[in-house]
Amino acid sequence: PSAGLGVLAYVLNASIHAVISIGVARIYLNLARGRAARLGMLFQDVRLFLPGLAAFWLFILAVGLGFVFLIIPGWILLMGLQFWVYFMVDRGLGPIQALERSWALTNGYKGKIFYLALLIGVLDTLLELIVYASGFEGVGFRPVWGLSMAVIYHALTYSRR
């Protein structure tokens, strides 16, 4: 019974994260484009919550399978599919179309995006260690990561018009 509750808690937590990530993507995208961002944007795209949930679980399934079979395909899938949420928020695409467009957008850029992710991950870890050692926790580069991905999405979509 406790394992089942653990799985249920994970699915519920991940699903809440997926819904919130839609609003967070809207905020990051506005900031990346030099526009104002408001807290109310977190729940502005209610119509995208169910399609976003579907896209999120398809994303998790694809990347998870990539990591299960071999680690490198998991990273490639992660780098290539992660912009799905921006396509849903920015272009109103459905789950499958958003994942397909994300994959196409990152052609030729997956390695560069990976190196940026690695750099931000190292900086995040170092910052977390320093902050944790000083008695605080929960501060890091995650907002930098999210804003960086919004800037990359904007730059790649703008450069391909």
Side-chain angles (χ1 to χ4, degrees), residues 27 51 76:
I27 290 169
I76 293 169

Side-chain angles (χ1 to χ4, degrees), residues 3-21:
L5 286 176
V7 169
L8 180 62
Y10 171 78
V11 168
L12 183 61
N13 183 39
S15 297
I16 291 169
H17 169 79
V19 167
I20 290 173
S21 70

Side-chain angles (χ1 to χ4, degrees), residues 41-148:
M41 291 177 167
L42 277 176
F43 303 104
Q44 176 178 323
D45 295 301
V46 174
R47 64 182 171 71
L48 295 176
F49 286 175
L50 287 178
L53 201 54
F56 173 79
W57 284 109
L58 289 170
F59 170 77
I60 292 296
L61 179 66
V63 172
L65 287 174
F67 278 115
V68 165
F69 290 115
L70 288 172
I71 291 177
I72 293 174
W75 281 108
I76 293 169
L77 288 166
L78 178 62
M79 297 302 110
L81 297 174
Q82 68 180 316
F83 296 104
W84 66 268
V85 70
Y86 295 106
F87 278 107
M88 291 189 82
V89 167
D90 192 35
R91 308 275 172 92
L93 298 181
I96 301 296
Q97 297 86 4
L99 288 162
E100 289 172 343
R101 292 288 296 274
S102 179
W103 185 258
L105 180 72
T106 57
N107 281 342
Y109 294 98
K110 291 175 186 73
K112 292 175 183 174
I113 296 168
F114 173 78
Y115 289 123
L116 176 64
L118 187 62
L119 174 65
I120 292 173
V122 168
L123 292 174
D124 180 55
T125 301
L126 291 174
L127 182 63
E128 288 282 347
L129 289 172
I130 292 167
V131 170
Y132 185 73
S134 66
F136 296 99
E137 57 183 285
V139 177
F141 276 86
R142 284 167 196 84
V144 173
W145 169 258
L147 187 55
S148 298

